[in-house]
Amino acid sequence: MDKYPDHLPIITLSISQALVDKYSEASGDHNPIHQDTKAAYEGPFGQPVAHGMLVLSTASQIMTTTFDKQWAEKGNLKVRWKSPALIPNNIHTSARLKSASQEQVTYEIECKDDNDTLLFSGTATLRLDP
Amino acid sequence: MNLADLNVGTTLNIKLNFSVEKISEYLVATGDGSDMWIRESIVPPPLVGAGILAELMKQVKLPANLMHTGQEQTAYSTVPANSDLLASVTLTQYSQRRGAIIATFEANLVDVTQVLLFRAKFSGLVPLELS
């Protein structure tokens, strides 16, 4: 267990409408609920919200920071969204060691905003070489 | 086509190819400062999932009030940039429960030699009172 840190460095991302617009272009996801549109204000969240996948990118970043390319080769990420990331917002993603064995290491991941609202939680597991 | 037009078990095929330029755009948009992705020409896993989802939305009109509730993704190998890839995306759940429709898509991504690189599972919920 000593081989793996108990906590990984927190990833913080400032989410602005400009960043979300950039993400729409980069991902190809142009759903109007993520843009400053009438559809967003009439939508389920009453205002534009960040893409779930944009918020989720911080979970992958936190694992890559420690495990580098291994994460892209053998990583499993499983999350449930709890709340939307309203715009603007600062989000903070943290990871705490849950278990480690010869086969895999698992971290509990969670993402909160500045108001301490939980945006998503789940696990990130890295399969290890035998 | 609309989500409601699909039967459980329906599979859609999606062609993908992530350029290095697209990866660079993605890194800027997510604040990902790692230089590994460009140096090694690897597609970041969340971009793979996002790319599949974006192409799925081009083929299937999803309800405006669909909420993305869960996501699972597993890497079996790195996904190389500038490579032709094929995702098979299957609707594995479409059910009504507690005043909402719950839908799940599962995707397998393979390269041109049919080697499995990546799997993803997307779950969403549509509140019936708003649909």
Side-chain angles (χ1 to χ4, degrees):
Chain A
M1 294 282 277
D2 293 342
K3 187 175 174 185
Y4 303 104
D6 288 337
H7 296 273
L8 304 185
I10 290 173
I11 299 285
T12 293
L13 182 64
S14 295
I15 296 183
S16 62
Q17 188 62 58
L19 188 80
V20 170
D21 291 346
K22 272 186 196 172
Y23 183 84
S24 293
E25 286 301 317
S27 67
D29 181 345
H30 296 283
N31 189 326
I33 68 165
H34 305 303
Q35 296 157 14
D36 191 10
T37 60
K38 188 180 173 198
Y41 291 99
E42 292 178 350
F45 306 114
Q47 69 166 90
V49 297
H51 302 72
M53 297 297 286
L54 169 57
V55 176
L56 188 64
S57 70
T58 56
S60 188
Q61 286 183 52
I62 206 170
M63 293 302 284
T64 306
T65 300
T66 300
F67 297 104
D68 207 49
K69 190 177 171 183
Q70 283 185 84
W71 176 247
E73 295 171 327
K74 297 174 182 179
N76 168 274
L77 185 62
K78 187 174 185 179
V79 304
R80 301 287 298 175
W81 270 279
K82 305 296 186 182
S83 303
L86 306 178
I87 305 168
N89 216 334
N90 294 313
I91 64 170
H92 313 278
T93 300
S94 59
R96 184 173 63 85
L97 184 63
K98 181 182 182 189
S99 64
S101 68
Q102 289 187 324
E103 290 78 34
Q104 63 183 37
V105 56
T106 298
Y107 281 84
E108 287 179 334
I109 302 259
E110 63 177 31
C111 178
K112 292 182 175 180
D113 66 12
D114 278 346
N115 297 319
D116 215 29
T117 301
L118 182 63
L119 304 182
F120 72 73
S121 64
T123 56
T125 298
L126 182 71
R127 302 186 307 281
L128 303 171
D129 289 327
Chain B
M1 83 188 79
N2 294 307
L3 177 60
D5 298 332
L6 299 179
N7 296 315
V8 171
T10 301
T11 296
L12 305 168
N13 291 317
I14 291 172
K15 291 181 179 174
L16 294 161
N17 189 317
F18 298 90
S19 67
V20 171
E21 292 74 21
K22 184 57 73 179
I23 295 170
S24 296
E25 266 184 59
Y26 170 85
L27 296 175
V28 170
T30 57
D32 188 335
S34 171
D35 64 355
M36 175 187 72
W37 309 111
I38 299 299
R39 188 180 69 241
E40 305 229 9
S41 292
I42 296 171
V43 187
L47 177 55
V48 179
I52 293 170
L53 196 56
E55 290 300 318
L56 175 65
M57 288 193 295
K58 287 180 187 170
Q59 293 195 23
V60 180
K61 188 178 178 197
L62 301 176
N65 55 340
L66 174 71
M67 290 184 263
H68 193 169
T69 54
Q71 172 90 19
E72 181 171 5
Q73 52 190 52
T74 305
Y76 294 92
S77 176
T78 53
V79 175
N82 295 321
S83 292
D84 290 330
L85 306 162
L86 180 67
S88 303
V89 185
T90 303
L91 179 66
T92 57
Q93 182 186 14
Y94 187 85
S95 57
Q96 191 174 322
R97 192 168 53 192
R98 294 180 189 171
I101 291 169
I102 296 165
T104 302
F105 286 96
E106 295 187 35
N108 290 332
L109 182 78
V110 298
D111 65 11
V112 290
T113 64
Q114 296 297 307
V115 170
L116 178 66
L117 304 178
F118 185 88
R119 274 193 175 142
K121 185 174 177 179
F122 309 94
S123 301
L125 177 152
V126 184
L128 281 175
E129 65 272 21
L130 296 174
S131 61

